[in-house]
Amino acid sequence: NLMMADGKTFADDIVLLTHGTLTHKDRSTYAQLQKNLAGHGISSLAINLSLGLSDRHGEYDCAVPHTHKHTDALKEIDFWLNWLQKQGAKNITLIGHSRGGNQTAWYSIEHDSNAFKKVVLLAPATGGQQAAEDYQKKYGKPLQPILDKANKLVAEGKGDTMLKDIDFIYCKKAQVTAAAFADYYNVKPQFNTIDLLKGAKKDTLVIIGSADTVEADLPEKMKQLADSDKVQTVTIEDATHFFLDFANEDVATAVAEFIEQ
């Protein structure tokens, strides 16, 4: 969804917005943010990650087999960044929310370029969703036996093998390829956005919701970056993980001030 602010062109400030886990560009968090950014004179492009599907819209249906990978998003962010450049965009800020925040941070550091100027991360994921402890708590079973099976299939060149009745991310008893399961659950240092940001290349703003119960430990973890000359934080009081209503307006204000710096 491309939303141009009144009187603005691609040559003016524009944001590339990436959503969170298994959701989509039209969810209220992103739809509100696009409108609120436009109120500050900032245009935006909110994308749907394909998640392995063509012309995907709406929430991902857990009944649909999962072939997508966490790392697919880096290629898709790159695609849309190039698209914006072809339209004449020169002042691009990357924004990502939750898992999309991690993917955006990952992209911004491993694919740093002059194509974008700044980075904003809304309640970025810090790796908990990939943790064995989280899997055990969520599904009441150990992660490792399933992960070992997936890794063995991948090693044998059978990554496209469909595992059935597998609990995966937010989906119970899903169908998921071995390669997809392995990509999401094999521990990688890049899954922790805090560790990524220790190598931040661009000025980066991390926005925290004070009432966020999904990434509740983010304020404590961000203390590791207190001395960073690239990373700054803003806390939105009473904001949940999804930054709705007044909190969303506060996010847009914070983003606008950060872009103007």
Side-chain angles (χ1 to χ4, degrees):
N1 184 57
L2 177 65
M3 184 174 290
M4 301 300 293
D6 287 345
K8 301 295 183 179
T9 71
F10 281 100
D12 298 303
D13 291 323
I14 193 164
V15 158
L16 175 58
L17 177 59
T18 302
H19 59 74
T21 306
L22 300 184
T23 187
H24 61 110
K25 64 179 174 55
D26 296 315
R27 193 166 181 166
S28 53
T29 298
Y30 318 117
Q32 286 183 30
L33 186 55
Q34 284 198 277
K35 292 176 181 177
N36 289 328
L37 287 172
H40 287 275
I42 300 171
S43 303
S44 58
L45 175 67
I47 63 172
N48 269 353
L49 296 175
S50 69
L51 302 180
L53 304 177
S54 179
D55 196 25
R56 188 182 73 85
H57 296 277
E59 301 288 323
Y60 194 98
D61 183 351
C62 283
V64 174
H66 297 264
T67 63
H68 54 91
K69 299 176 181 179
H70 178 96
T71 47
D72 289 343
L74 278 65
K75 300 172 187 175
E76 298 193 28
I77 290 170
D78 188 69
F79 175 90
W80 289 110
L81 185 62
N82 288 331
W83 183 87
L84 282 172
Q85 285 187 290
K86 289 175 183 177
Q87 314 313 309
K90 297 179 176 63
N91 299 296
I92 302 170
T93 295
L94 303 181
I95 298 185
H97 172 241
S98 196
R99 186 185 294 274
N102 171 261
Q103 292 160 327
T104 296
W106 192 336
Y107 179 86
S108 74
I109 290 160
E110 294 196 358
H111 301 274
D112 181 43
S113 73
N114 293 327
F116 59 97
K117 303 293 187 185
K118 294 185 176 183
V119 179
V120 177
L121 309 176
L122 301 178
T126 56
Q129 290 180 330
Q130 273 80 20
E133 297 82 5
D134 183 77
Y135 196 91
Q136 178 74 47
K137 181 179 178 181
K138 190 180 294 180
Y139 294 118
K141 65 180 72 170
L143 169 66
Q144 201 59 48
I146 308 168
L147 185 56
D148 287 345
K149 180 180 179 180
N151 284 332
K152 184 174 184 291
L153 286 165
V154 171
E156 293 171 349
K158 301 175 183 176
D160 290 338
T161 300
M162 194 67 69
L163 307 176
K164 297 183 178 180
D165 292 330
I166 296 295
D167 297 325
F168 179 65
I169 313 180
Y170 297 144
C171 298
K172 293 182 178 181
K173 298 191 178 301
Q175 297 182 66
V176 53
T177 63
F181 194 91
D183 184 81
Y184 274 93
Y185 286 105
N186 276 316
V187 175
K188 303 178 182 71
Q190 296 97 325
F191 281 148
N192 187 343
T193 304
I194 309 304
D195 288 342
L196 277 173
L197 292 179
K198 292 174 182 176
K201 309 287 181 66
K202 292 288 198 301
D203 287 339
T204 301
L205 176 65
V206 177
I207 299 181
I208 298 169
S210 70
D212 186 348
T213 57
V214 177
E215 295 293 338
D217 58 353
L218 185 58
E220 182 65 27
K221 288 185 174 181
M222 285 301 299
K223 292 178 181 178
Q224 299 176 44
L225 299 166
D227 296 329
S228 173
D229 61 354
K230 289 292 185 184
V231 182
Q232 55 185 283
T233 62
V234 167
T235 298
I236 308 297
E237 291 301 322
D238 300 322
T240 68
H241 187 66
F242 297 101
F243 299 98
L244 299 174
D245 304 322
F246 292 125
N248 198 283
E249 295 176 13
D250 291 341
V251 167
T253 298
V255 170
E257 291 174 352
F258 175 65
I259 288 175
E260 290 169 8
Q261 289 176 5

